[in-house]
Amino acid sequence: MPDRILRAISMQTIDHRGPAFADVGKRALEGMKSIFKTESHVIIYPASGTGAWEAALSNALSPGDKVLMFETGHFATLWSKLAGKLGLNAELIPGDWRGGADPDAIEARLKDDTAHEIKAVCVVHNETSTGSVSPVAAVRKAIDAANHPALFMVDTISGLASLDYRHDEWGVDVTVSGSQKGLMLPPGLSFNAVSEKALAAAKKSTMPRSYWSWDEMVGPNASGYFPYTPGTNLLYGLNEAIDMLHEEGLDNVFARHKRHGAATRAAVRAWGLEVLCAQQGQESGVLTAVLMPEGHSADAFRATTLENYDLSLGNGLSKVADKVFRIGHLGDFNDLMLMATLSGVEMGLRKAGVPHEAGGAQVAMDILSENQEQPTAAAAQ
Amino acid sequence: MPDRILRAISMQTIDHRGPAFADVGKRALEGMKSIFKTESHVIIYPASGTGAWEAALSNALSPGDKVLMFETGHFATLWSKLAGKLGLNAELIPGDWRGGADPDAIEARLKDDTAHEIKAVCVVHNETSTGSVSPVAAVRKAIDAANHPALFMVDTISGLASLDYRHDEWGVDVTVSGSQKGLMLPPGLSFNAVSEKALAAAKKSTMPRSYWSWDEMVGPNASGYFPYTPGTNLLYGLNEAIDMLHEEGLDNVFARHKRHGAATRAAVRAWGLEVLCAQQGQESGVLTAVLMPEGHSADAFRATTLENYDLSLGNGLSKVADKVFRIGHLGDFNDLMLMATLSGVEMGLRKAGVPHEAGGAQVAMDILSENQEQPTAAAAQ
Amino acid sequence: MPDRILRAISMQTIDHRGPAFADVGKRALEGMKSIFKTESHVIIYPASGTGAWEAALSNALSPGDKVLMFETGHFATLWSKLAGKLGLNAELIPGDWRGGADPDAIEARLKDDTAHEIKAVCVVHNETSTGSVSPVAAVRKAIDAANHPALFMVDTISGLASLDYRHDEWGVDVTVSGSQKGLMLPPGLSFNAVSEKALAAAKKSTMPRSYWSWDEMVGPNASGYFPYTPGTNLLYGLNEAIDMLHEEGLDNVFARHKRHGAATRAAVRAWGLEVLCAQQGQESGVLTAVLMPEGHSADAFRATTLENYDLSLGNGLSKVADKVFRIGHLGDFNDLMLMATLSGVEMGLRKAGVPHEAGGAQVAMDILSENQEQPTAAAAQ
Amino acid sequence: MPDRILRAISMQTIDHRGPAFADVGKRALEGMKSIFKTESHVIIYPASGTGAWEAALSNALSPGDKVLMFETGHFATLWSKLAGKLGLNAELIPGDWRGGADPDAIEARLKDDTAHEIKAVCVVHNETSTGSVSPVAAVRKAIDAANHPALFMVDTISGLASLDYRHDEWGVDVTVSGSQKGLMLPPGLSFNAVSEKALAAAKKSTMPRSYWSWDEMVGPNASGYFPYTPGTNLLYGLNEAIDMLHEEGLDNVFARHKRHGAATRAAVRAWGLEVLCAQQGQESGVLTAVLMPEGHSADAFRATTLENYDLSLGNGLSKVADKVFRIGHLGDFNDLMLMATLSGVEMGLRKAGVPHEAGGAQVAMDILSENQEQPTAAAAQ
């Protein structure tokens, strides 16, 4: 977490009903529109990402509604379970956890739904458990091709502000995100970007709710205030983060993550290991999940790198528990931090006696050197 | 907000699924039991207080349930409105905003409810909008006297860790609180202390919920973890706050607030002004609401103290808007801070041309000097 | 110490030879000229104030040189002792510690010195041990009236940035100051403002020196650098302090201190106590030293206020040890902080059983209210 | 700089004459004895390292005294120049900047000095400009072998708390150090460790001094105080740094630096470049100076790494300006930070078109992996 942000969140809390607060609130609300790339509404919750998942579903839908989801991995599965707890009828298209959501499968299912029972299509943009990215614009096209009126909801909790994202252009109705990934903040804030269509749907929802209600937020937000106590200190940090992102330029941020993903995958392959994401073009710039060789425990390996190199790698979740480790390369991250990380993985593989070829870090250096010249071109994705 | 706490919340965020987190989580969960004075469960939400209000109602009750509330002021009214939004049938016993909840009125209403339609009695402990304190133990006795099985829910968002509070001894089923008052933190954490009876009631609740679900929390909490991303940095601050409270001693904390309330009221009366709370013994040690003389705007006066003395006073809310100003004396507050505050009020009254007698601050000094000798005795309440 | 400054000094240390440092150094060096009100040179030492005393003497003088000093109090005496340790011949005009330096006595002594053996006249501007202010401009006139070529050196370690000070206009050759008083920083930086005449004198000095040498500083300073490692993190804080002073406006800063001094003295007199400074017009706006009633220990009283009200008062030094206590009202200080302080003194007097009249704090409030209207006029001094 | 230390130095400044300060002062003074490994005296100056150089010379010597120094590099040369400014007669044994001080040359020169005109032998332990380490114990033996009474002074400004150092065991009379290297603090504190022999010599010194006087310090230091204002906030940080060093264990700290030096040199050689230090066994664990290939500018290369990889490398000073760059590996530094640094150098060499072999970082990884097993054995040196 950048020092600038830690300093910002440790400023004295001001009165969230006092005159000075309006500026804090307005900067945050307007700033987040520029990050989501939307002209519509952004709702900021003093809650972590799971709350924003619940908010998206409970505002726009009613008990018993059917929602179509795609099993990209652990987090897509969790979201579908949460839908069930809210009394929704969640249908999860099965996936193999090795790529993003499949637009063709979604289109086929929607075409079958001639009665339009499906009220929302929900996909995870960047699946944190696998390092795969769903093709959001293509899913939009699939919905349109099926000529289906369902709302389109996207979770980009771990993708926003690291990967290209365009709420309005891609026709998303509700985008869900959180503070603790690309926004480089501690957890504690989460977001819904909400289209006019979703807002209209919310008027008809019968789901009991108050804390998550969009319509209670929209009024006070117009003048920079909130209907109940906001997460003031995290809002200070959010405003700092938005400034930092625009200072670097969002396209440069995206290009940086893309380069780091490419260099990481090259290292993984040079070590003779396999990247979990098997869909070319859907590999994440945020993190890379790596399959351990058969017979080796990913968690034992992770313990080795933590103990010997103070390097904390992500663990495999549920279906891939102990089978993968995850290399994060998101947020306030530069080439040398990546080299430190990849060197730590390589030294850890050696230390833990995991079969591998040496030289992955060296290969990553080659990739980084080659790709450094045209950050702007790279950003065009 | 104390410097110790601001420093704590600006430490680097750690992985909430990593081994080091367990200690952070356990300290917070166990520590909060000592603050609520309960052996039962404490739930910590990454959310502000309104979320904990919703959590209390949505776990223990089902749509259509009747709840009995008492109109102590603005916040009791807001809580009853929130109950309505959740589909509950909230009955609000009217109050004059000049005292705490009335146990006799509650007892009478419960005795009338022979069919036991009322599922919960909800009162606000410290009503922030008026500076009145409800007699929580007496309300418990009223429920018992009516031999009524309703759950007992108490909001002590602004009272906890400033005023004496005893979840178990007073037989409360759900206590609601938040981080940003007596716990001296920024907003962003809120709490439910939950009795076994309430937990059992939750098993039968049909209210759709996930983020607020007690039963999803209890399991992971046992080992110091949370089912979804917690507010890690605020938990650092919470642990620091709990340490600070126990270093001073809770009884000393309570006595300190009581003395400051008494000194403040003496100053108010010496100025010839009237304290909003008219029930002797129910005046708050957290804040004192003061009635403006007829024909004078409280908000204009508040603007004067802010502009001239950098002193921010609380405003009157809804029914008492512009009619009262509120003097806060909570949290990390000592005798000289109180004297600074009261001097600022007195200088502001003069500056704003509000009719008053000089000498209130001087009278407060007398009270503080007299009451200083026996902090322990004073704490016995 | 203001939070803004504590944050500034905790930024990461940068390389003091790298390109980014030049801006830090230039801002500090130029900024301090605006504070000293000089177009000449300012030297910044990574050292506390005693170092800047030594620097002033060791650059401009040679072993055996005679210097004329005036005994305004403890610090003037210490400076003369330091001169002796450097091999200078220090002559200290005796004083009663109840006022500033006496221009008439200085003029008389200089007129006697027809051989011009006296090479420097040294006075303390704000004598921290007594709360008296020397009339610097009048001393300059006295030197001129005696037609004496001695250098004029002034210590304003505790006066700068709180009391009006004009290095160039008042014809001072070397002004000595430090970081930890009006500049609101921790100790660790100290300053010499140096006239061209003093710089020329330094060329002829035979005193061995290196760390303190002005001439080694002047060259690198021109581009924002230092000849040896500077106090980088305190320079960050210094630049923040300079910004804060100019944001408020130096004249407003001076007026604020003047008002606070006046209110404090009114309180002292209302208590029936005596202010140590007996020269009207020479009382300090930085601090007020108060004489204890005969038979009462100032240090016992100070212990009472510290223990009961967390109020730390300054002690009496050497000649006035245990006979006076000192009330500081400098730096980042506002009306309500002063009222807190004076309330603490009044409550302490009562608690310690020191004979006094009640009501001093009340009188201070009257003074503050009366004097608040015309800050600009008050600043004209 | 570690976060723990930045937090420590941003605590509120306390009164350096108040009762709470004694503990701060005592911890610092006693703690520094454990770092210097001395039972004798440690003096702490609120000044940067150049001040401690001046202090060592000005306390123990008198104007006109001869001192013998050895030209290990830029800093040894600067120290001899400073001696000259203080009126000492500094004789500098010429060196080639590619190794530590030569005990044989020192012994020979001392044997010639039958009249014992040389009053002190001064060597730099870790020469920051070259990355060479002088064999301090061997120089002590050389002085003894010459049976010469000169004082022995060592500058370990950049070596202390990174390289093994033993003031008492190695018979050093005055050790000079500073805060901003191995102690991981901002600049602003510096040190003299002083033997009884040196303290006795100071009694006879005729050098004018006050700020640097050991004998004024020793008295107040005994109870944790200082004769003039100390650098309070940096002392907070110093106490934190001492704790951190002992938590890791000094021997582990030394072993860590040694491993990092070895890995760095292996990388340099793999690139086909030359390490400036040509004396085997005298290469520094603190930094490694690298010779640029003929015809290539070190400063242009440094600009490349800074611009492209945010990697700031040290520059060549005076004789080796633009001919070497320096890789620092000191302070709070771990294996992956070293790998980040070496990767940055390797990528920079490629980017800048400097002829080199790829694979240096890879070789460093091998060294780090091999040497990791026995930190304790490695620490035995």
Side-chain angles (χ1 to χ4, degrees):
Chain A
M1 206 163 300
D3 193 52
R4 272 176 73 174
I5 285 180
L6 290 172
R7 285 168 184 279
I9 66 170
S10 68
M11 302 291 285
Q12 281 289 348
T13 308
I14 60 170
D15 178 6
H16 64 277
R17 303 205 184 280
F21 186 85
D23 180 56
V24 174
K26 275 185 204 161
R27 280 180 61 201
L29 290 158
E30 285 305 308
M32 285 309 297
K33 286 190 188 178
S34 70
I35 303 298
F36 280 111
K37 293 189 179 163
T38 181
E39 300 293 322
S40 191
H41 306 278
V42 170
I43 309 293
I44 304 180
Y45 296 107
S48 55
T50 299
W53 269 355
E54 181 164 330
L57 301 173
S58 67
N59 272 281
L61 302 167
S62 297
D65 278 358
K66 182 180 268 289
V67 293
L68 182 65
M69 291 171 148
F70 192 98
E71 185 199 2
T72 44
H74 180 64
F75 288 98
T77 308
L78 276 185
W79 196 13
S80 74
K81 287 185 182 166
L82 187 149
K85 287 173 198 159
L86 294 181
L88 301 172
N89 180 359
E91 177 180 331
L92 188 67
I93 302 177
D96 66 359
W97 290 42
R98 304 201 63 175
D102 177 2
D104 294 340
I106 290 169
E107 183 175 339
R109 180 63 189 86
L110 291 177
K111 281 181 172 166
D112 279 353
D113 180 38
T114 50
H116 292 174
E117 289 185 339
I118 294 169
K119 300 304 177 198
V121 173
C122 303
V123 304
V124 172
H125 178 217
N126 185 74
E127 174 61 62
T128 313
S129 62
T130 67
S132 296
V133 178
S134 293
V136 176
V139 173
R140 173 76 263 170
K141 280 182 197 143
I143 299 170
D144 292 345
N147 202 20
H148 198 287
L151 293 167
F152 184 25
M153 299 190 180
V154 178
D155 158 2
T156 185
I157 289 176
S158 62
L160 191 74
S162 297
L163 308 182
D164 189 16
Y165 193 81
R166 311 174 186 190
H167 179 86
D168 285 2
E169 185 183 328
W170 292 349
V172 183
D173 292 303
V174 189
T175 304
V176 173
S177 197
S179 56
Q180 77 272 24
K181 300 285 182 179
L183 294 169
M184 307 172 286
L185 292 169
L189 292 183
S190 53
F191 311 93
N192 279 182
V194 180
S195 72
E196 295 298 339
K197 179 178 172 188
L199 212 58
K203 305 285 182 204
K204 299 178 199 152
S205 157
T206 62
M207 188 83 77
R209 68 176 177 273
S210 172
Y211 195 77
W212 310 120
S213 283
W214 295 335
D215 52 1
E216 295 191 36
M217 286 282 196
V218 170
N221 280 183
S223 50
Y225 291 90
F226 292 86
Y228 51 78
T229 311
T232 306
N233 288 50
L234 289 177
L235 292 174
Y236 298 157
L238 180 62
N239 287 334
E240 194 75 23
I242 293 166
D243 284 353
M244 289 173 71
L245 290 165
H246 288 310
E247 285 166 20
E248 181 173 356
L250 282 177
D251 284 345
N252 293 322
V253 170
F254 303 153
R256 177 164 54 81
H257 284 84
K258 197 170 176 177
R259 287 177 65 237
H260 287 172
T264 301
R265 292 190 299 277
V268 171
R269 285 160 190 154
W271 292 322
L273 302 181
E274 193 178 351
V275 172
L276 179 61
C277 178
Q279 295 295 332
Q280 202 174 358
Q282 300 190 344
E283 304 97 338
S284 174
V286 167
L287 81 150
T288 300
V290 181
L291 281 160
M292 282 301 279
E294 199 64 41
H296 288 269
S297 157
D299 290 341
F301 168 64
R302 292 172 52 246
T304 297
T305 66
L306 184 60
E307 188 184 328
N308 290 277
Y309 306 107
D310 200 19
L311 174 64
S312 176
L313 296 167
N315 62 332
L317 294 161
S318 64
K319 282 193 188 174
V320 293
D322 206 27
K323 293 182 183 154
V324 306
F325 63 90
R326 292 177 295 137
I327 302 171
H329 30 80
L330 85 163
D332 185 42
F333 209 75
N334 66 23
D335 285 12
L336 299 196
M337 290 177 192
L338 181 65
M339 288 312 304
T341 301
L342 297 178
S343 298
V345 172
E346 182 160 340
M347 290 162 75
L349 290 169
R350 177 194 292 221
K351 170 75 66 186
V354 177
H356 72 286
E357 300 294 315
Q362 185 74 34
V363 167
M365 245 191 274
D366 296 343
I367 300 287
L368 291 174
S369 295
E370 284 160 18
N371 285 301
Q372 201 182 5
E373 308 297 340
Q374 306 90 353
T376 316
Q381 206 186 48
Chain B
M1 207 162 298
D3 193 52
R4 271 176 73 174
I5 286 180
L6 291 172
R7 286 169 184 278
I9 66 170
S10 68
M11 302 291 285
Q12 281 288 346
T13 308
I14 60 170
D15 178 4
H16 64 277
R17 303 206 185 278
F21 186 84
D23 180 56
V24 174
K26 276 186 202 162
R27 281 180 62 200
L29 289 159
E30 284 305 309
M32 284 310 296
K33 287 190 187 178
S34 71
I35 303 297
F36 279 112
K37 294 189 179 163
T38 182
E39 300 292 322
S40 192
H41 305 278
V42 170
I43 309 293
I44 305 179
Y45 296 107
S48 57
T50 299
W53 269 354
E54 180 164 331
L57 300 173
S58 67
N59 273 282
L61 302 169
S62 297
D65 278 357
K66 182 180 268 289
V67 294
L68 182 66
M69 291 171 148
F70 192 98
E71 184 198 2
T72 44
H74 179 65
F75 289 97
T77 307
L78 277 185
W79 197 12
S80 72
K81 286 185 182 165
L82 186 149
K85 287 172 200 159
L86 294 181
L88 301 172
N89 180 359
E91 177 179 330
L92 187 66
I93 301 178
D96 66 359
W97 291 42
R98 303 202 63 174
D102 178 1
D104 294 340
I106 290 168
E107 184 175 337
R109 180 65 189 84
L110 291 177
K111 282 182 172 164
D112 280 352
D113 179 38
T114 50
H116 292 174
E117 290 186 339
I118 294 170
K119 300 304 180 196
V121 174
C122 303
V123 305
V124 171
H125 179 217
N126 184 75
E127 174 61 62
T128 313
S129 63
T130 68
S132 296
V133 178
S134 293
V136 176
V139 174
R140 172 76 264 169
K141 280 182 197 141
I143 299 170
D144 292 346
N147 203 19
H148 199 288
L151 293 167
F152 184 25
M153 299 190 180
V154 177
D155 158 1
T156 185
I157 289 175
S158 63
L160 191 75
S162 298
L163 308 182
D164 189 16
Y165 193 80
R166 312 174 187 191
H167 179 85
D168 285 2
E169 184 183 327
W170 292 348
V172 183
D173 291 305
V174 188
T175 304
V176 173
S177 197
S179 57
Q180 76 271 27
K181 300 285 182 179
L183 293 170
M184 306 171 285
L185 292 170
L189 291 184
S190 54
F191 311 94
N192 278 183
V194 180
S195 72
E196 296 298 338
K197 180 178 170 187
L199 211 58
K203 306 284 182 204
K204 300 178 200 153
S205 157
T206 62
M207 188 84 76
R209 67 176 175 273
S210 172
Y211 195 77
W212 309 120
S213 283
W214 296 335
D215 51 2
E216 295 192 36
M217 285 282 196
V218 170
N221 280 183
S223 50
Y225 291 90
F226 292 86
Y228 51 78
T229 310
T232 305
N233 289 48
L234 289 177
L235 291 174
Y236 299 157
L238 180 62
N239 287 334
E240 194 75 23
I242 293 166
D243 285 352
M244 289 173 71
L245 289 165
H246 288 310
E247 285 166 20
E248 182 174 354
L250 283 177
D251 284 344
N252 293 323
V253 171
F254 302 154
R256 176 163 55 81
H257 285 84
K258 196 171 177 175
R259 286 178 66 238
H260 288 171
T264 302
R265 292 190 298 277
V268 170
R269 285 160 191 154
W271 291 322
L273 301 180
E274 193 177 349
V275 172
L276 179 62
C277 178
Q279 294 295 330
Q280 203 175 357
Q282 299 190 343
E283 303 97 338
S284 174
V286 167
L287 81 149
T288 300
V290 182
L291 281 160
M292 283 300 279
E294 200 64 41
H296 288 269
S297 156
D299 290 341
F301 168 65
R302 292 172 53 245
T304 298
T305 66
L306 183 60
E307 186 183 330
N308 290 276
Y309 306 107
D310 200 18
L311 174 64
S312 176
L313 296 166
N315 62 332
L317 294 161
S318 63
K319 281 193 188 173
V320 294
D322 207 26
K323 292 183 183 154
V324 307
F325 63 90
R326 292 177 295 136
I327 303 172
H329 30 80
L330 84 163
D332 185 42
F333 209 74
N334 66 23
D335 285 11
L336 299 195
M337 290 177 193
L338 182 66
M339 289 311 305
T341 302
L342 297 178
S343 298
V345 172
E346 183 160 339
M347 289 162 75
L349 291 168
R350 177 194 294 220
K351 170 75 64 186
V354 178
H356 72 288
E357 298 296 317
Q362 186 73 36
V363 168
M365 245 190 274
D366 296 344
I367 300 286
L368 291 174
S369 295
E370 283 160 19
N371 285 302
Q372 201 183 6
E373 308 297 343
Q374 306 91 352
T376 316
Q381 205 186 43
Chain C
M1 207 164 299
D3 193 53
R4 272 176 72 174
I5 286 179
L6 290 172
R7 285 167 185 278
I9 66 171
S10 67
M11 302 291 285
Q12 282 288 348
T13 308
I14 59 169
D15 178 5
H16 64 276
R17 303 204 185 280
F21 186 85
D23 180 57
V24 174
K26 275 185 203 164
R27 280 181 61 201
L29 290 158
E30 283 306 307
M32 285 308 298
K33 287 189 187 180
S34 71
I35 303 297
F36 280 112
K37 293 187 178 164
T38 182
E39 301 291 323
S40 190
H41 306 278
V42 169
I43 309 293
I44 304 179
Y45 297 108
S48 57
T50 299
W53 269 355
E54 181 164 329
L57 301 173
S58 68
N59 273 282
L61 303 168
S62 297
D65 278 358
K66 182 180 268 290
V67 293
L68 182 67
M69 289 170 150
F70 193 97
E71 184 199 2
T72 44
H74 179 66
F75 289 98
T77 308
L78 276 185
W79 196 13
S80 74
K81 286 185 181 165
L82 187 150
K85 286 171 199 159
L86 295 181
L88 301 172
N89 181 358
E91 179 179 329
L92 188 67
I93 302 178
D96 66 359
W97 290 41
R98 304 202 63 176
D102 177 1
D104 294 340
I106 290 167
E107 182 175 340
R109 180 63 189 87
L110 291 177
K111 281 181 172 164
D112 280 354
D113 179 39
T114 49
H116 293 173
E117 289 185 338
I118 293 169
K119 300 303 178 198
V121 174
C122 303
V123 304
V124 171
H125 178 217
N126 184 74
E127 174 62 61
T128 313
S129 63
T130 68
S132 296
V133 178
S134 293
V136 175
V139 174
R140 172 77 263 170
K141 281 183 196 141
I143 300 169
D144 292 345
N147 203 19
H148 197 288
L151 293 166
F152 184 26
M153 298 189 180
V154 177
D155 159 1
T156 186
I157 288 175
S158 62
L160 191 75
S162 298
L163 308 182
D164 189 17
Y165 193 81
R166 311 173 188 192
H167 179 85
D168 284 1
E169 184 183 326
W170 291 350
V172 183
D173 291 303
V174 188
T175 304
V176 174
S177 197
S179 56
Q180 78 271 27
K181 301 285 183 181
L183 293 170
M184 306 171 285
L185 292 170
L189 292 183
S190 54
F191 311 93
N192 280 181
V194 181
S195 72
E196 296 298 338
K197 180 179 171 186
L199 212 58
K203 306 284 182 204
K204 299 178 198 152
S205 156
T206 62
M207 189 82 77
R209 68 176 176 272
S210 171
Y211 194 77
W212 310 120
S213 284
W214 296 335
D215 51 2
E216 295 192 35
M217 285 283 196
V218 170
N221 280 181
S223 49
Y225 291 90
F226 291 86
Y228 51 79
T229 311
T232 306
N233 289 48
L234 290 177
L235 292 174
Y236 298 157
L238 180 63
N239 287 334
E240 194 75 24
I242 293 166
D243 284 353
M244 288 173 71
L245 289 165
H246 288 311
E247 285 166 19
E248 182 175 354
L250 283 177
D251 284 345
N252 293 323
V253 171
F254 302 153
R256 177 163 54 80
H257 285 84
K258 197 171 176 176
R259 285 178 67 237
H260 287 173
T264 301
R265 292 191 299 277
V268 171
R269 284 159 192 155
W271 292 322
L273 302 180
E274 193 178 349
V275 171
L276 180 62
C277 178
Q279 295 294 331
Q280 202 174 358
Q282 299 190 343
E283 303 98 338
S284 174
V286 167
L287 81 151
T288 300
V290 181
L291 281 158
M292 282 301 279
E294 198 65 40
H296 289 270
S297 157
D299 291 341
F301 168 65
R302 292 172 52 245
T304 297
T305 66
L306 183 60
E307 187 184 328
N308 289 278
Y309 306 107
D310 199 19
L311 174 64
S312 177
L313 296 166
N315 62 331
L317 294 161
S318 63
K319 281 193 188 175
V320 294
D322 206 26
K323 292 182 183 154
V324 308
F325 63 91
R326 292 176 294 139
I327 303 171
H329 30 79
L330 84 163
D332 184 41
F333 209 75
N334 66 23
D335 284 12
L336 299 196
M337 291 177 192
L338 182 65
M339 289 311 305
T341 302
L342 298 177
S343 298
V345 171
E346 183 160 339
M347 289 162 75
L349 291 169
R350 176 195 292 220
K351 171 75 65 185
V354 178
H356 72 288
E357 298 295 317
Q362 186 73 37
V363 167
M365 246 190 273
D366 297 343
I367 300 286
L368 291 174
S369 295
E370 285 160 18
N371 284 301
Q372 200 183 6
E373 309 297 342
Q374 307 91 354
T376 317
Q381 206 186 45
Chain D
M1 208 164 298
D3 193 53
R4 272 176 72 174
I5 286 180
L6 291 172
R7 285 169 183 279
I9 66 171
S10 69
M11 302 290 286
Q12 281 289 347
T13 307
I14 61 169
D15 178 5
H16 64 278
R17 304 206 184 278
F21 186 84
D23 180 56
V24 175
K26 276 185 201 161
R27 280 179 62 200
L29 290 158
E30 284 305 308
M32 285 309 296
K33 287 190 187 179
S34 71
I35 303 298
F36 280 113
K37 294 188 178 164
T38 182
E39 300 291 321
S40 192
H41 305 278
V42 169
I43 309 293
I44 304 179
Y45 296 107
S48 55
T50 300
W53 269 354
E54 181 164 329
L57 301 172
S58 68
N59 273 281
L61 303 168
S62 297
D65 278 358
K66 182 180 269 289
V67 293
L68 182 66
M69 290 171 148
F70 192 98
E71 184 199 1
T72 44
H74 179 65
F75 289 98
T77 307
L78 276 185
W79 196 12
S80 74
K81 285 185 182 165
L82 185 150
K85 287 171 199 160
L86 294 181
L88 301 172
N89 180 358
E91 178 180 329
L92 188 67
I93 301 178
D96 66 358
W97 290 42
R98 304 202 61 176
D102 177 1
D104 294 341
I106 290 168
E107 183 175 339
R109 180 61 188 86
L110 291 177
K111 281 182 171 163
D112 280 354
D113 179 39
T114 50
H116 293 173
E117 288 185 339
I118 294 170
K119 299 304 178 197
V121 174
C122 302
V123 304
V124 171
H125 179 217
N126 185 74
E127 174 62 59
T128 313
S129 63
T130 68
S132 297
V133 179
S134 293
V136 176
V139 174
R140 172 76 262 170
K141 280 183 196 140
I143 300 171
D144 292 345
N147 203 20
H148 197 288
L151 293 166
F152 183 26
M153 299 189 180
V154 177
D155 158 1
T156 185
I157 288 176
S158 62
L160 191 73
S162 297
L163 308 182
D164 189 17
Y165 193 81
R166 312 174 186 190
H167 180 85
D168 285 2
E169 184 183 328
W170 292 348
V172 183
D173 291 303
V174 188
T175 303
V176 174
S177 197
S179 57
Q180 78 272 25
K181 300 285 184 180
L183 294 170
M184 306 171 287
L185 292 170
L189 292 183
S190 54
F191 310 93
N192 280 181
V194 180
S195 72
E196 295 297 339
K197 179 179 172 187
L199 211 58
K203 305 285 183 203
K204 299 178 198 153
S205 156
T206 61
M207 189 82 77
R209 68 175 175 273
S210 172
Y211 195 76
W212 309 120
S213 284
W214 296 335
D215 52 2
E216 295 192 35
M217 285 283 196
V218 170
N221 279 182
S223 50
Y225 291 90
F226 291 86
Y228 52 78
T229 311
T232 305
N233 289 49
L234 290 177
L235 291 175
Y236 298 157
L238 181 62
N239 287 334
E240 194 74 23
I242 294 166
D243 284 353
M244 289 173 71
L245 289 165
H246 287 310
E247 285 166 21
E248 181 174 355
L250 283 177
D251 284 346
N252 293 323
V253 171
F254 303 153
R256 177 164 54 82
H257 285 83
K258 196 170 176 176
R259 286 177 67 237
H260 288 172
T264 302
R265 293 190 298 278
V268 171
R269 286 161 190 154
W271 292 322
L273 302 180
E274 193 178 350
V275 172
L276 180 61
C277 177
Q279 294 294 331
Q280 202 175 359
Q282 300 190 343
E283 304 98 338
S284 174
V286 166
L287 81 150
T288 300
V290 181
L291 281 160
M292 282 302 278
E294 200 64 41
H296 289 269
S297 157
D299 290 342
F301 168 65
R302 291 172 52 246
T304 297
T305 67
L306 184 60
E307 188 183 328
N308 290 277
Y309 306 107
D310 200 19
L311 174 64
S312 176
L313 296 166
N315 63 331
L317 294 161
S318 63
K319 280 192 190 175
V320 293
D322 206 25
K323 292 181 182 154
V324 307
F325 63 90
R326 292 177 295 137
I327 303 171
H329 30 79
L330 85 162
D332 184 42
F333 209 75
N334 66 22
D335 285 12
L336 299 195
M337 291 177 193
L338 182 65
M339 288 312 305
T341 302
L342 297 177
S343 299
V345 172
E346 183 160 340
M347 289 162 75
L349 291 169
R350 176 194 293 220
K351 171 74 65 183
V354 178
H356 72 287
E357 299 295 317
Q362 185 74 35
V363 167
M365 245 190 275
D366 296 344
I367 300 286
L368 291 174
S369 295
E370 285 160 18
N371 285 301
Q372 201 184 5
E373 309 297 341
Q374 308 91 354
T376 317
Q381 208 187 46

